[in-house]
Amino acid sequence: MCLQYEQDEALCRRKNSYTQREREMEMMEDVVIVGAGIAGLATAVALKRVGVRALVLIRSEGLRATGSALTLFPNAWLALDALGVSHKLTPIYAPSSMGYVTNVSAGDVQQVLVRVANNGGDGHGIRTIHRKALLEALAEELPVDSIQFSSKLAVIGNEEQGGASIVVIHLEDGTTIKSKVLIGCDGVNSVVARWLGLAEPVHSGRSAVRGLAVFPQGHGFKQEVHRFVDVGKRAGFVPLNDRELYWFLTYNGDNMTGDPEHIQKQVLEKHAEKFPSSYLDVVRHADLSTLTWALLKFRQPWGIIFGKLSKGNVTVAGDAMHPMTPDLGQGGGASLEDAVVLGRHIGNSVINNGGLIVPGDMAKAIDDYVKERRWRPAFLVTGSYLAGWVQLGGDKWWMKFLRDGIFYQYLFGRISGLVHKDCGKLPAMSFGDTDHSSKKD
């Protein structure tokens, strides 16, 4: 009898201990963002600007800068203006206003003027910057405890709490996080997008190699964009500063494998062996630690137009919503636009509720965000794919005419009309700059 009592008491203590550990591993947040790339960090900054604290979860042990560099067009700079971050970057990186396109087979060189309207944030022009610099500029705006590293998402669920839907996030380490809003910014292979039921991105049939080239004594190029086109291939480079250039190669196919040194060798000896010496010299100066190769995927535009981009208080942004090929250089810019628009709608909800986050009102705010954003990313995805298709076309006469006679001669310089989109501003907060977390249901 006594033994049975002692066993029951021990079992009770173990259960209480387990329950206590479970409570310690359970967190409650207003907003959780999965992914700390451009979209994730920019969204967290936008929410901070409207008084909302977000917890950003990232799988890796530090900020990742895959891609080495990216080009930001006026729409991206307008978004960075709204986020209050552009002033950190514009003094470091010069704008490009001139470009040259070389037809490798024919040897013809065309000059392309980059037309930039002189109004508002468009004054920033078109600048190529280090991806890491952008990520760090965004991360510096956030409280140190708002980014949680080594956090791997395992399961997403939801439950009713006080008549409102709460997202329940389970991490691989056993931690449970409950949140009023979940935003998936977890890239092309997004777990959140999959949970929403969005169709998987598809392979475009193209691949890309990208990296930085370093010239310790200086490269000697002006701040101009150099592009090279051949049958099934497109390449280029642009200065980042006096010693570094960003370079790339896109091509039809997916058969490049091996370590960075082997990939560099394949570019030089197989894919770009007939390219001008200026491009080959840039590739030879590649910093192999920055060199990456990737299949180019995109979400089909009808999947964005008709797909389920939100479910209650869960949505996606950036590549998780609209992965696209890089042919218009709009992946980063569209992600920054998403951040501002989503921040505006959530901010307006907070303002309308007296500075409080009301879970029941978040679904409407997110639905309004999706309605505003759905069509533009679908258009950018379509435009990017078609631009790549024209530039990587075959050697038939009509494809050459489309590419050399029409696209580069008349259309390329006018694409700037697509990149002058102003995503708007964030709402002004009238009740201070502190975070307005709430337990109101």
Side-chain angles (χ1 to χ4, degrees):
M1 187 76 171
C2 183
L3 178 61
Q4 181 63 44
Y5 175 79
E6 291 176 353
Q7 289 176 338
D8 290 344
E9 187 178 37
L11 179 61
C12 183
R13 283 199 301 269
R14 285 197 298 271
K15 286 183 177 178
N16 288 337
S17 176
Y18 177 79
T19 303
Q20 179 64 29
R21 290 198 304 272
E22 191 177 49
R23 286 198 198 99
E24 291 173 354
M25 296 182 71
E26 184 174 287
M27 304 163 58
M28 183 66 193
E29 300 287 340
D30 284 311
V31 178
V32 171
I33 298 171
V34 181
I38 294 173
L41 294 178
T43 301
V45 172
L47 293 176
K48 183 194 173 191
R49 296 283 185 257
V50 298
V52 177
R53 181 188 183 278
L55 176 66
V56 183
L57 305 179
I58 178 172
R59 290 177 58 91
S60 61
E61 297 178 356
L63 293 179
R64 301 177 65 184
T66 302
S68 65
L70 76 163
T71 298
L72 297 180
F73 289 80
N75 61 313
W77 291 109
L78 287 165
L80 288 172
D81 282 346
L83 294 172
V85 175
S86 61
H87 68 281
K88 296 181 178 182
L89 300 168
T90 51
I92 305 172
Y93 300 98
S96 299
S97 58
M98 183 72 69
Y100 297 91
V101 181
T102 300
N103 184 317
V104 175
S105 300
D108 299 332
V109 179
Q110 296 184 43
Q111 186 179 79
V112 179
L113 287 174
V114 180
R115 302 189 309 169
V116 178
N118 186 24
N119 65 298
D122 288 3
H124 294 312
I126 299 172
R127 303 171 192 245
T128 302
I129 70 173
H130 292 90
R131 182 178 292 268
K132 184 178 181 181
L134 175 57
L135 294 179
E136 290 177 347
L138 292 167
E140 288 169 358
E141 299 296 309
L142 301 172
V144 292
D145 62 346
S146 63
I147 303 177
Q148 185 171 304
F149 298 100
S150 302
S151 299
K152 299 179 181 180
L153 183 62
V155 179
I156 303 171
N158 44 11
E159 65 180 38
E160 291 296 316
Q161 189 176 97
S165 178
I166 298 294
V167 185
V168 183
I169 305 152
H170 300 279
L171 304 183
E172 289 186 3
D173 66 0
T175 302
T176 298
I177 305 173
K178 294 184 178 180
S179 179
K180 297 168 186 175
V181 178
L182 173 63
I183 305 168
C185 300
D186 44 340
V188 177
N189 301 309
S190 169
V191 176
V192 180
R194 198 171 296 124
W195 183 83
L196 287 172
L198 286 172
E200 293 291 323
V202 298
H203 180 26
S204 66
R206 311 169 200 152
S207 300
V209 180
R210 290 168 277 207
L212 300 182
V214 180
F215 291 76
Q217 305 305 317
H219 50 65
F221 290 101
K222 295 180 180 180
Q223 191 60 45
E224 298 169 338
V225 182
H226 294 263
R227 292 183 176 87
F228 309 91
V229 294
D230 201 0
V231 178
K233 306 170 188 176
R234 183 172 67 89
F237 63 83
V238 59
L240 287 159
N241 49 48
D242 292 339
R243 294 184 298 277
E244 292 179 291
L245 301 105
Y246 169 63
W247 65 274
F248 68 90
L249 169 75
T250 60
Y251 63 96
N252 291 329
D254 58 359
N255 60 344
M256 195 175 293
T257 58
D259 58 28
E261 187 174 357
H262 184 60
I263 291 174
Q264 179 192 40
K265 184 177 180 181
Q266 290 182 76
V267 172
L268 291 169
E269 298 179 359
K270 180 179 178 182
H271 294 280
E273 73 278 8
K274 296 180 181 179
F275 279 41
S277 59
S278 58
Y279 178 78
L280 297 177
D281 191 43
V282 168
V283 177
R284 291 190 188 99
H285 280 79
D287 176 354
L288 297 181
S289 69
T290 69
L291 196 152
T292 61
W293 170 84
L295 297 173
L296 299 180
K297 296 183 178 181
F298 69 101
R299 176 158 282 124
Q300 292 168 325
W302 48 88
I304 300 172
I305 296 171
F306 302 110
K308 199 168 184 61
L309 301 181
S310 67
K311 184 185 295 183
N313 48 359
V314 180
T315 191
V316 285
D319 284 346
M321 178 195 286
H322 46 66
M324 63 185 75
T325 60
D327 305 284
L328 291 184
Q330 281 299 298
S335 296
L336 293 169
E337 289 180 19
D338 291 344
V340 175
V341 175
L342 183 52
R344 181 167 62 247
H345 284 290
I346 291 179
N348 285 335
S349 173
V350 171
I351 291 172
N352 293 337
N353 286 286
L356 302 175
I357 295 177
V358 180
D361 199 42
M362 282 297 105
K364 181 182 184 305
I366 288 174
D367 186 57
D368 290 342
Y369 152 75
V370 167
K371 287 178 180 176
E372 180 173 346
R373 286 302 293 162
R374 190 186 295 272
W375 283 93
R376 176 164 167 79
F379 183 72
L380 289 173
V381 167
T382 303
S384 294
Y385 179 83
L386 291 177
W389 177 75
V390 169
Q391 294 176 85
L392 294 176
D395 56 357
K396 295 181 179 179
W397 69 268
W398 58 272
M399 282 301 301
K400 290 183 178 179
F401 175 73
L402 277 176
R403 182 184 64 213
D404 303 330
I406 297 180
F407 184 79
Y408 281 120
Q409 189 71 28
Y410 300 105
L411 298 182
F412 188 77
R414 299 178 183 272
I415 285 179
S416 59
L418 302 177
V419 300
H420 285 265
K421 170 74 174 179
D422 187 349
C423 60
K425 307 297 183 184
L426 293 168
M429 310 304 290
S430 59
F431 32 77
D433 295 326
T434 58
D435 292 340
H436 293 277
S437 300
S438 165
K439 303 305 177 188
K440 179 180 176 181
D441 294 324

mmCIF file of all heavy atoms in Angstrom, residues 52-81:
data_model
loop_
_atom_site.group_PDB
_atom_site.id
_atom_site.type_symbol
_atom_site.label_atom_id
_atom_site.label_comp_id
_atom_site.label_asym_id
_atom_site.label_seq_id
_atom_site.Cartn_x
_atom_site.Cartn_y
_atom_site.Cartn_z
ATOM 1 N N VAL A 52 4.666 47.561 -33.709
ATOM 2 C CA VAL A 52 4.381 46.144 -33.477
ATOM 3 C C VAL A 52 5.696 45.370 -33.433
ATOM 4 O O VAL A 52 6.503 45.445 -34.357
ATOM 5 C CB VAL A 52 3.474 45.562 -34.588
ATOM 6 C CG1 VAL A 52 3.257 44.064 -34.375
ATOM 7 C CG2 VAL A 52 2.148 46.298 -34.624
ATOM 8 N N ARG A 53 5.905 44.614 -32.374
ATOM 9 C CA ARG A 53 7.096 43.785 -32.269
ATOM 10 C C ARG A 53 6.851 42.439 -32.943
ATOM 11 O O ARG A 53 5.815 41.812 -32.750
ATOM 12 C CB ARG A 53 7.473 43.538 -30.802
ATOM 13 C CG ARG A 53 8.728 42.687 -30.646
ATOM 14 C CD ARG A 53 8.976 42.296 -29.202
ATOM 15 N NE ARG A 53 10.216 41.542 -29.044
ATOM 16 C CZ ARG A 53 10.352 40.241 -29.260
ATOM 17 N NH1 ARG A 53 9.299 39.530 -29.641
ATOM 18 N NH2 ARG A 53 11.518 39.646 -29.104
ATOM 19 N N ALA A 54 7.808 42.013 -33.730
ATOM 20 C CA ALA A 54 7.719 40.705 -34.381
ATOM 21 C C ALA A 54 8.919 39.864 -33.975
ATOM 22 O O ALA A 54 10.040 40.369 -33.832
ATOM 23 C CB ALA A 54 7.680 40.859 -35.903
ATOM 24 N N LEU A 55 8.689 38.572 -33.796
ATOM 25 C CA LEU A 55 9.771 37.624 -33.568
ATOM 26 C C LEU A 55 10.119 36.982 -34.897
ATOM 27 O O LEU A 55 9.255 36.417 -35.574
ATOM 28 C CB LEU A 55 9.342 36.546 -32.567
ATOM 29 C CG LEU A 55 10.368 35.430 -32.313
ATOM 30 C CD1 LEU A 55 11.615 35.987 -31.629
ATOM 31 C CD2 LEU A 55 9.749 34.310 -31.476
ATOM 32 N N VAL A 56 11.391 37.082 -35.296
ATOM 33 C CA VAL A 56 11.848 36.539 -36.578
ATOM 34 C C VAL A 56 12.594 35.242 -36.317
ATOM 35 O O VAL A 56 13.570 35.210 -35.556
ATOM 36 C CB VAL A 56 12.776 37.545 -37.302
ATOM 37 C CG1 VAL A 56 13.193 36.989 -38.665
ATOM 38 C CG2 VAL A 56 12.081 38.890 -37.462
ATOM 39 N N LEU A 57 12.131 34.168 -36.941
ATOM 40 C CA LEU A 57 12.758 32.860 -36.794
ATOM 41 C C LEU A 57 13.625 32.565 -38.013
ATOM 42 O O LEU A 57 13.198 32.754 -39.151
ATOM 43 C CB LEU A 57 11.697 31.763 -36.653
ATOM 44 C CG LEU A 57 10.665 31.928 -35.539
ATOM 45 C CD1 LEU A 57 9.677 30.771 -35.571
ATOM 46 C CD2 LEU A 57 11.338 32.015 -34.177
ATOM 47 N N ILE A 58 14.843 32.083 -37.779
ATOM 48 C CA ILE A 58 15.737 31.740 -38.879
ATOM 49 C C ILE A 58 16.395 30.397 -38.579
ATOM 50 O O ILE A 58 16.803 30.131 -37.449
ATOM 51 C CB ILE A 58 16.793 32.854 -39.097
ATOM 52 C CG1 ILE A 58 17.761 32.469 -40.217
ATOM 53 C CG2 ILE A 58 17.534 33.173 -37.811
ATOM 54 C CD1 ILE A 58 18.698 33.594 -40.618
ATOM 55 N N ARG A 59 16.495 29.549 -39.586
ATOM 56 C CA ARG A 59 17.037 28.200 -39.419
ATOM 57 C C ARG A 59 18.528 28.211 -39.117
ATOM 58 O O ARG A 59 19.010 27.405 -38.332
ATOM 59 C CB ARG A 59 16.797 27.387 -40.698
ATOM 60 C CG ARG A 59 15.354 27.017 -40.960
ATOM 61 C CD ARG A 59 15.234 26.285 -42.300
ATOM 62 N NE ARG A 59 16.046 25.090 -42.332
ATOM 63 C CZ ARG A 59 15.628 23.880 -41.976
ATOM 64 N NH1 ARG A 59 14.395 23.723 -41.511
ATOM 65 N NH2 ARG A 59 16.424 22.834 -42.045
ATOM 66 N N SER A 60 19.256 29.111 -39.734
ATOM 67 C CA SER A 60 20.707 29.101 -39.620
ATOM 68 C C SER A 60 21.176 29.759 -38.324
ATOM 69 O O SER A 60 20.384 30.321 -37.564
ATOM 70 C CB SER A 60 21.331 29.811 -40.826
ATOM 71 O OG SER A 60 20.913 31.158 -40.880
ATOM 72 N N GLU A 61 22.489 29.710 -38.097
ATOM 73 C CA GLU A 61 23.060 30.271 -36.876
ATOM 74 C C GLU A 61 23.412 31.747 -37.020
ATOM 75 O O GLU A 61 23.878 32.376 -36.073
ATOM 76 C CB GLU A 61 24.318 29.480 -36.492
ATOM 77 C CG GLU A 61 24.031 28.014 -36.157
ATOM 78 C CD GLU A 61 25.287 27.241 -35.826
ATOM 79 O OE1 GLU A 61 26.389 27.836 -35.933
ATOM 80 O OE2 GLU A 61 25.177 26.060 -35.456
ATOM 81 N N GLY A 62 23.221 32.308 -38.205
ATOM 82 C CA GLY A 62 23.489 33.729 -38.440
ATOM 83 C C GLY A 62 22.782 34.177 -39.698
ATOM 84 O O GLY A 62 22.185 33.367 -40.417
ATOM 85 N N LEU A 63 22.825 35.473 -39.987
ATOM 86 C CA LEU A 63 22.208 35.991 -41.199
ATOM 87 C C LEU A 63 22.911 35.413 -42.417
ATOM 88 O O LEU A 63 24.132 35.378 -42.491
ATOM 89 C CB LEU A 63 22.296 37.519 -41.239
ATOM 90 C CG LEU A 63 21.484 38.277 -40.188
ATOM 91 C CD1 LEU A 63 21.709 39.769 -40.351
ATOM 92 C CD2 LEU A 63 20.003 37.947 -40.305
ATOM 93 N N ARG A 64 22.122 34.963 -43.386
ATOM 94 C CA ARG A 64 22.685 34.366 -44.584
ATOM 95 C C ARG A 64 22.637 35.369 -45.723
ATOM 96 O O ARG A 64 21.666 36.105 -45.884
ATOM 97 C CB ARG A 64 21.905 33.100 -44.967
ATOM 98 C CG ARG A 64 21.911 32.045 -43.867
ATOM 99 C CD ARG A 64 21.079 30.842 -44.239
ATOM 100 N NE ARG A 64 21.636 30.139 -45.380
ATOM 101 C CZ ARG A 64 21.062 29.090 -45.963
ATOM 102 N NH1 ARG A 64 19.906 28.645 -45.499
ATOM 103 N NH2 ARG A 64 21.614 28.498 -46.988
ATOM 104 N N ALA A 65 23.699 35.400 -46.520
ATOM 105 C CA ALA A 65 23.780 36.375 -47.608
ATOM 106 C C ALA A 65 23.946 35.687 -48.953
ATOM 107 O O ALA A 65 24.705 36.124 -49.810
ATOM 108 C CB ALA A 65 24.935 37.338 -47.372
ATOM 109 N N THR A 66 23.252 34.574 -49.153
ATOM 110 C CA THR A 66 23.326 33.856 -50.420
ATOM 111 C C THR A 66 22.922 34.786 -51.560
ATOM 112 O O THR A 66 21.896 35.446 -51.513
ATOM 113 C CB THR A 66 22.401 32.632 -50.393
ATOM 114 O OG1 THR A 66 22.787 31.784 -49.313
ATOM 115 C CG2 THR A 66 22.502 31.867 -51.691
ATOM 116 N N GLY A 67 23.726 34.832 -52.609
ATOM 117 C CA GLY A 67 23.429 35.690 -53.737
ATOM 118 C C GLY A 67 24.451 36.800 -53.883
ATOM 119 O O GLY A 67 24.566 37.392 -54.946
ATOM 120 N N SER A 68 25.208 37.097 -52.864
ATOM 121 C CA SER A 68 26.331 38.039 -52.831
ATOM 122 C C SER A 68 25.945 39.492 -53.102
ATOM 123 O O SER A 68 26.386 40.394 -52.404
ATOM 124 C CB SER A 68 27.455 37.589 -53.780
ATOM 125 O OG SER A 68 27.058 37.616 -55.119
ATOM 126 N N ALA A 69 25.146 39.758 -54.122
ATOM 127 C CA ALA A 69 24.763 41.132 -54.437
ATOM 128 C C ALA A 69 23.417 41.124 -55.159
ATOM 129 O O ALA A 69 22.949 40.087 -55.626
ATOM 130 C CB ALA A 69 25.830 41.804 -55.304
ATOM 131 N N LEU A 70 22.805 42.290 -55.237
ATOM 132 C CA LEU A 70 21.558 42.429 -55.991
ATOM 133 C C LEU A 70 21.423 43.862 -56.454
ATOM 134 O O LEU A 70 22.025 44.781 -55.872
ATOM 135 C CB LEU A 70 20.344 42.022 -55.162
ATOM 136 C CG LEU A 70 19.839 42.981 -54.077
ATOM 137 C CD1 LEU A 70 18.421 42.607 -53.682
ATOM 138 C CD2 LEU A 70 20.735 42.971 -52.853
ATOM 139 N N THR A 71 20.651 44.058 -57.511
ATOM 140 C CA THR A 71 20.406 45.384 -58.049
ATOM 141 C C THR A 71 19.048 45.879 -57.558
ATOM 142 O O THR A 71 18.046 45.166 -57.659
ATOM 143 C CB THR A 71 20.449 45.377 -59.582
ATOM 144 O OG1 THR A 71 21.758 44.969 -60.011
ATOM 145 C CG2 THR A 71 20.148 46.751 -60.152
ATOM 146 N N LEU A 72 19.038 47.093 -57.024
ATOM 147 C CA LEU A 72 17.796 47.686 -56.521
ATOM 148 C C LEU A 72 17.387 48.828 -57.439
ATOM 149 O O LEU A 72 18.143 49.780 -57.652
ATOM 150 C CB LEU A 72 17.986 48.187 -55.091
ATOM 151 C CG LEU A 72 18.307 47.127 -54.034
ATOM 152 C CD1 LEU A 72 18.458 47.776 -52.663
ATOM 153 C CD2 LEU A 72 17.233 46.045 -53.997
ATOM 154 N N PHE A 73 16.168 48.749 -57.952
ATOM 155 C CA PHE A 73 15.598 49.751 -58.839
ATOM 156 C C PHE A 73 14.822 50.782 -58.016
ATOM 157 O O PHE A 73 14.655 50.629 -56.800
ATOM 158 C CB PHE A 73 14.718 49.058 -59.878
ATOM 159 C CG PHE A 73 15.499 48.259 -60.894
ATOM 160 C CD1 PHE A 73 15.977 46.988 -60.585
ATOM 161 C CD2 PHE A 73 15.771 48.783 -62.147
ATOM 162 C CE1 PHE A 73 16.708 46.256 -61.509
ATOM 163 C CE2 PHE A 73 16.502 48.057 -63.087
ATOM 164 C CZ PHE A 73 16.969 46.791 -62.759
ATOM 165 N N PRO A 74 14.317 51.849 -58.645
ATOM 166 C CA PRO A 74 13.637 52.898 -57.885
ATOM 167 C C PRO A 74 12.518 52.411 -56.971
ATOM 168 O O PRO A 74 12.331 52.958 -55.883
ATOM 169 C CB PRO A 74 13.098 53.817 -58.980
ATOM 170 C CG PRO A 74 14.110 53.707 -60.066
ATOM 171 C CD PRO A 74 14.520 52.256 -60.057
ATOM 172 N N ASN A 75 11.761 51.391 -57.386
ATOM 173 C CA ASN A 75 10.681 50.905 -56.511
ATOM 174 C C ASN A 75 11.235 50.360 -55.202
ATOM 175 O O ASN A 75 10.636 50.544 -54.136
ATOM 176 C CB ASN A 75 9.858 49.826 -57.222
ATOM 177 C CG ASN A 75 10.680 48.608 -57.599
ATOM 178 O OD1 ASN A 75 11.769 48.723 -58.150
ATOM 179 N ND2 ASN A 75 10.166 47.426 -57.321
ATOM 180 N N ALA A 76 12.396 49.722 -55.266
ATOM 181 C CA ALA A 76 13.012 49.204 -54.048
ATOM 182 C C ALA A 76 13.487 50.343 -53.149
ATOM 183 O O ALA A 76 13.341 50.285 -51.917
ATOM 184 C CB ALA A 76 14.179 48.287 -54.404
ATOM 185 N N TRP A 77 14.052 51.380 -53.743
ATOM 186 C CA TRP A 77 14.534 52.511 -52.950
ATOM 187 C C TRP A 77 13.383 53.283 -52.317
ATOM 188 O O TRP A 77 13.510 53.802 -51.200
ATOM 189 C CB TRP A 77 15.404 53.426 -53.806
ATOM 190 C CG TRP A 77 16.705 52.776 -54.169
ATOM 191 C CD1 TRP A 77 17.087 52.318 -55.396
ATOM 192 C CD2 TRP A 77 17.781 52.473 -53.277
ATOM 193 N NE1 TRP A 77 18.329 51.751 -55.329
ATOM 194 C CE2 TRP A 77 18.790 51.835 -54.049
ATOM 195 C CE3 TRP A 77 17.995 52.673 -51.912
ATOM 196 C CZ2 TRP A 77 19.982 51.399 -53.485
ATOM 197 C CZ3 TRP A 77 19.189 52.243 -51.357
ATOM 198 C CH2 TRP A 77 20.165 51.624 -52.131
ATOM 199 N N LEU A 78 12.252 53.368 -53.022
ATOM 200 C CA LEU A 78 11.071 54.000 -52.429
ATOM 201 C C LEU A 78 10.608 53.212 -51.207
ATOM 202 O O LEU A 78 10.211 53.790 -50.193
ATOM 203 C CB LEU A 78 9.951 54.096 -53.469
ATOM 204 C CG LEU A 78 10.160 55.154 -54.563
ATOM 205 C CD1 LEU A 78 9.204 54.915 -55.729
ATOM 206 C CD2 LEU A 78 9.965 56.562 -53.999
ATOM 207 N N ALA A 79 10.655 51.893 -51.301
ATOM 208 C CA ALA A 79 10.280 51.050 -50.157
ATOM 209 C C ALA A 79 11.274 51.239 -49.011
ATOM 210 O O ALA A 79 10.880 51.332 -47.841
ATOM 211 C CB ALA A 79 10.208 49.582 -50.577
ATOM 212 N N LEU A 80 12.569 51.299 -49.336
ATOM 213 C CA LEU A 80 13.575 51.514 -48.297
ATOM 214 C C LEU A 80 13.437 52.896 -47.662
ATOM 215 O O LEU A 80 13.725 53.079 -46.472
ATOM 216 C CB LEU A 80 14.970 51.324 -48.877
ATOM 217 C CG LEU A 80 15.352 49.870 -49.196
ATOM 218 C CD1 LEU A 80 16.679 49.815 -49.947
ATOM 219 C CD2 LEU A 80 15.439 49.032 -47.923
ATOM 220 N N ASP A 81 13.010 53.880 -48.451
ATOM 221 C CA ASP A 81 12.704 55.200 -47.880
ATOM 222 C C ASP A 81 11.594 55.073 -46.835
ATOM 223 O O ASP A 81 11.684 55.640 -45.740
ATOM 224 C CB ASP A 81 12.255 56.167 -48.978
ATOM 225 C CG ASP A 81 13.405 56.712 -49.798
ATOM 226 O OD1 ASP A 81 14.566 56.573 -49.370
ATOM 227 O OD2 ASP A 81 13.149 57.278 -50.874
#
